[in-house]
Each structure stands twice: as structure tokens, then as C-alpha cells.
Amino acid sequence: MRLLNRKVIISCAITGATHTPSMSEFLPLTPAQIASQSIEAAHAGAAILHLHAREPSDGQPTPSPDVFSQFVPAIVEATDAVINITTGGSTRMTLADRLAYPRLARPEMCSLNMGSMNFSIHPIAAKMASWRYEWEKGFIEGMEDTIFRNTFRDIKTIMLELGEHGTRFEFECYDVGHLYNLAHFVEQGLVKPPFFIQMVFGILGGLGAEPENMAVMRTTADRLFGRENYQFSVLGAGRHQMAFVTMGAIMGGNVRVGLEDSVFLSKGVKAETNAQQVRKIRRILEELSFEIATPAEARQMLGLKGADKVNFQAAASAA
Ligand code: KMH
Ligand code: ZN
């Protein structure tokens, strides 16, 4: 068991591609909003920023390198946080869509989803009194009949295409089987330790947010990879977020917060910024004598290639 005063990496997932604008007036949609909320979150203590892009006009998830390029360089200019670009995109995007920007930008880190699954928040649709934009209702209701595709070949493609430029991965694991899928690729020699395993709880289609499930995931990861070969982080969706990520830190993990995962700051209170969630978990962790990792410490813990070895400027001019 790690000492309680080890360093804890705070990741912040700024906007995602799951929540829609009508679910929170505070969800960052435009490049300017995503940039300013990312910079504020980094200054609040987030060492890793997990980023998606949205159409500036109506907040629809987009894979467009042109839109990413309207905010990523500004964030890089203002902070030394690790930029973690999604390869998950939205459940509606093709693999080519999802890889469009990471292929150009060659970031230090990308997310990588370790298995196909149902991934949905469709039950929310019935509770929405109104929708701000035309696309939202169909997008959310359509999740009920959408598979979030991540075949073994999709995963191998991402590992090879991005891995060859030194991009390392936030392995998104929503279930125990996803850990075995990761172990398969480790055996194939496609990925090297230290592994950064993002354990995702509370998404409909994945493991529920139960303490027993976190124990199973950590025990399985210990058995498959060896405790010394991975860092895990915990993400709790929706109302589970703060309690679950706190438990994750106590169990030896790192934490992920952000409006991608929950639009709330506390029960019934919406977070007005991502930084509010970062400040809240930082306060909780420091009260428990945890120290928060800097971006430099996160890079060292995760074996990242360095902020000078990315292509964000080139991607911006190519877009
Ligand atoms: N938007 C979800 C379908 C990732 O960034 O890789 C997938 C997601 C995970 O957000
Ligand atoms: Zn994401």
C-alpha cells in the first residue's frame, strides 16, 4: 500500500462529447470557453487536461483539427499542463474522424478506450423539459441504439499510429474485461509500462460506481500488470464523481474530474467552471495529507515524451 503522502495527479476533462449544452449552461462549447476553462483548471492544479472539441455555433461534438487548433495552442501557451487529446470522440464518429487531430498533433497523451461497449445517457432525455439546440434530443435518444466501437483492430491502429510518435495513453477501462484487453496488447508488445489506467465508473454500459468494483479493478490490474507497472486514476460519472475519486485516491490512485464527467459541484448544485471541481478535489485531497502532482511530476510518473515534442503548431497550420 502506497504512503498516503505520495503525489496525486489531477486530470480535468473539460467538455467531453456526452453532455449536451442544455444539460448545463456552464458547459464550455466555443474554443474561447474551452481554452479559458482549461487554463483556469490547470492553474487550479490539474496536471493533465483531457480535451474534446465542439462546433462553436451549436456545441455539437466535432473531430475537426481546425476547431481543436483554435484552442489547443492557446492552452499550451498559457500552461505547462499535459495535453491529453481524446481518440474516443463521440459514439457517432468513425475511427478516421477520431484520429484526425491526434494524427496531426502527435500529443504527449491521448485517451484510448479499451473495448466496444454500450455507452449511454439516453434516460436523461425524458427528464429534459426543453432543448437549446435542434441536434441534442436525437443525439441523446440515439445513444440507446448506438455502440461505442473500439474493436481490437481499432485499438491496435491507434496504438501503432500514435504510439510511433511517442504518444502515450490514458487507457479508459469501463469494465474488468477492458483490463484483459489491455493485457493482450501488452503481451503483443504494443504498449510499454508505466501504464496509465483510467478506471471509469458510473457510465450506463460500464461498471457501476460501487466500492467493490474499484477493488476488483485494482486487484485485477495488480494481477495482470504488477503494481509497479501502472498508475491508475479514477473517474466517477455524474453524482458519483467527488466521493468516488476521493476513494480512488485513498486506494492508491489518481483522480479525474471535469464537466465531461459531471456537470455538478455538489448535490443539486451545478459547477460553474471546471476549476471549481479541481479546487474542490484538491482541497479534499490536501486535507487528507495528499500532495498534488505538478505537470512535470506527472510527466515523470507516466513516462511522457515532453511538451517540446508535440506538433500542435504544425497541426494548426495544416488544419
Ligand atoms: N465521449 C465518449 C463516447 C474518450 O475521450 O476517449 C468517449 C470519451 C472517452 O469521451
Ligand atoms: Zn473524453
Side-chain angles (χ1 to χ4, degrees):
M1 182 65 175
R2 295 277 187 85
L3 291 176
L4 268 185
N5 63 354
R6 60 182 172 78
K7 300 274 188 181
V8 178
I9 299 170
I10 299 176
S11 292
C12 189
I14 299 298
T15 188
T18 304
H19 291 128
T20 65
S22 301
M23 295 173 188
S24 171
E25 62 275 31
F26 304 112
L27 190 68
L29 309 177
T30 66
Q33 289 166 343
I34 294 171
S36 64
Q37 286 225 24
S38 296
I39 293 164
E40 192 190 0
H43 290 165
I48 298 177
L49 298 169
H50 171 78
L51 299 171
H52 290 247
R54 291 178 181 264
E55 286 302 335
S57 57
D58 64 3
Q60 214 168 156
T62 177
S64 162
D66 173 53
V67 177
F68 272 104
S69 296
Q70 291 177 44
F71 59 83
V72 172
I75 299 166
V76 171
E77 184 69 32
T79 81
D80 63 344
V82 175
I83 302 297
N84 166 2
I85 301 295
T86 179
T87 65
S90 85
T91 52
R92 302 313 200 282
M93 293 179 191
T94 66
L95 187 66
D97 287 339
R98 292 159 52 178
L99 285 180
Y101 183 62
R103 276 186 174 126
L104 290 170
R106 300 175 178 177
E108 289 187 87
M109 181 179 278
C110 280
S111 60
L112 180 44
N113 295 269
M114 293 312 297
S116 299
M117 63 186 284
N118 295 336
F119 180 119
S120 186
I121 60 169
H122 68 274
I124 287 183
K127 299 174 188 161
M128 298 295 291
S130 63
W131 300 93
R132 198 167 138 196
Y133 295 106
E134 188 68 32
W135 64 271
E136 292 183 63
K137 187 172 187 288
F139 181 84
I140 296 298
E141 289 177 343
M143 283 183 164
E144 187 175 15
D145 195 30
T146 305
I147 292 173
F148 182 29
R149 177 189 153 133
N150 299 286
T151 65
F152 284 111
R153 184 168 296 169
D154 292 344
I155 295 169
K156 184 167 80 173
T157 300
I158 297 172
M159 287 178 172
L160 291 173
E161 288 214 11
L162 301 183
E164 73 170 319
H165 300 297
T167 296
R168 291 179 62 74
F169 299 102
E170 174 198 31
F171 297 107
E172 314 262 358
C173 294
Y174 304 74
D175 212 328
V176 180
H178 293 173
L179 295 172
Y180 284 87
N181 294 349
L182 176 55
H184 161 72
F185 288 106
V186 173
E187 281 151 32
Q188 302 274 312
L190 268 71
V191 283
K192 303 277 184 242
F195 309 117
F196 185 44
I197 296 172
Q198 188 67 258
M199 300 180 182
V200 184
F201 300 93
I203 294 283
L204 185 58
L207 271 178
E210 315 286 348
E212 295 80 358
N213 290 337
M214 193 182 301
V216 168
M217 289 289 273
R218 197 187 63 168
T219 308
T220 304
D222 285 354
R223 182 171 63 250
L224 292 175
F225 309 112
R227 192 79 186 81
E228 69 287 355
N229 289 317
Y230 78 97
Q231 287 281 344
F232 75 97
S233 181
V234 170
L235 177 176
R239 67 184 187 284
H240 306 292
Q241 184 180 58
M242 287 296 166
F244 224 70
V245 301
T246 300
M247 185 169 58
I250 291 168
M251 289 182 68
N254 301 280
V255 298
R256 180 170 125 169
V257 294
L259 299 189
E260 170 170 345
D261 304 333
S262 173
V263 296
F264 295 105
L265 185 62
S266 54
K267 190 173 166 75
V269 178
K270 283 186 186 157
E272 296 189 13
T273 65
N274 280 272
Q276 278 185 345
Q277 291 184 354
V278 174
R279 279 192 288 273
K280 178 168 181 176
I281 193 58
R282 177 175 195 154
R283 192 168 56 247
I284 293 168
L285 294 179
E286 288 178 338
E287 284 292 332
L288 296 173
S289 299
F290 289 108
E291 288 179 76
I292 305 307
T294 64
E297 289 163 336
R299 288 185 169 94
Q300 192 276 324
M301 290 162 73
L302 302 176
L304 302 185
K305 65 178 174 178
D308 57 336
K309 296 190 177 55
V310 297
N311 256 21
F312 297 130
Q313 290 309 338
S317 43

